[in-house]
Amino acid sequence: MPVHIALLRAVNVGGTGRLLMSELRALCEDAGFTDVKTYIQSGNVLFRSPLLADDAAKRLDESLARIMGKAPGVVVRSRRQLETIADQNPFPDARPNYLMVNFLPEPAPTNALSDLVTPDGEEAHVSGQEIYVHYPNGSGRSRMTLKILRRATSRNLNTVHKLAEMAAEMEAH
């Protein structure tokens, strides 16, 4: 059965969308997912399901809406997709914790970067359903603006690597 990696949007970030990872695991199990594992307190969950990725994302988003009052937004990727995303990093010299991968639920429009404002030297690159952003001074201090990122959920490159590694371990067993 396929291993899915779900990335929740706006969960446990800045005090909004509070969700304990134990609650997330239980919710996933109630939704019919198996071998559920979470990673750090920012809405990363791996599980097995025979559902296609989009269907698994929809099921999890609907389940979350019931307990959170609204659907936070869920993006699901596979181990291979995360490995490819990491391998195609357009900023290979960036420190991995200063490089954010912004996961979108659909492919980015061709004009996705048209309103990009980078006052601190940030760099952005669009690749399909992901937007890579290098924050040379760290994302927490950045004054960069890019409207499309409001629809995305972000993970630094270290987290992308770790989630792919965890999925590989699950697939091996």
Side-chain angles (χ1 to χ4, degrees), residues 1-4 48 78-80 166-173:
M1 196 171 343
V3 172
H4 297 289
R48 291 184 189 279
S78 69
R79 172 192 53 85
R80 281 195 178 101
M166 290 175 68
E169 289 172 11
M170 287 176 69
E171 289 173 353
H173 296 100

Side-chain angles (χ1 to χ4, degrees), residues 107-167:
T110 55
N111 66 344
L113 301 181
S114 64
D115 65 343
L116 176 64
V117 177
T118 59
D120 301 311
E122 299 88 352
E123 302 172 277
H125 176 82
V126 177
S127 180
Q129 291 181 266
E130 285 74 38
I131 299 176
Y132 299 82
V133 179
H134 172 225
Y135 295 92
N137 300 318
S139 62
R141 293 184 213 116
S142 175
R143 296 172 294 147
M144 183 191 94
T145 59
L146 182 59
K147 288 180 185 170
I148 194 168
L149 296 185
R150 293 179 192 153
R151 299 192 325 239
T153 185
S154 305
R155 303 296 185 275
N156 73 38
L157 194 59
N158 286 331
T159 298
V160 172
H161 281 294
K162 181 61 178 177
L163 292 169
E165 177 185 305
M166 290 175 68

Side-chain angles (χ1 to χ4, degrees), residues 33-138:
F33 304 142
T34 59
D35 292 335
V36 179
K37 294 176 180 25
T38 59
Y39 176 67
I40 62 177
Q41 191 73 23
S42 60
N44 305 300
V45 61
L46 298 89
F47 54 83
R48 291 184 189 279
S49 172
L51 295 174
L52 296 174
D54 288 344
D55 295 331
K58 183 178 178 184
R59 180 177 290 180
L60 181 54
D61 212 21
E62 289 169 351
S63 296
L64 287 161
R66 284 192 289 279
I67 66 164
M68 298 179 83
K70 68 175 187 169
V74 175
V75 173
V76 172
R77 299 290 190 265
S78 69
R79 172 192 53 85
R80 281 195 178 101
Q81 287 173 311
L82 288 188
E83 289 173 347
T84 299
I85 289 163
D87 290 345
Q88 292 180 350
N89 169 13
F91 307 111
D93 295 331
R95 291 183 291 182
N97 56 326
Y98 282 59
L99 177 62
M100 300 297 284
V101 180
N102 299 275
F103 295 88
L104 295 165
E106 70 282 324
T110 55
N111 66 344
L113 301 181
S114 64
D115 65 343
L116 176 64
V117 177
T118 59
D120 301 311
E122 299 88 352
E123 302 172 277
H125 176 82
V126 177
S127 180
Q129 291 181 266
E130 285 74 38
I131 299 176
Y132 299 82
V133 179
H134 172 225
Y135 295 92
N137 300 318

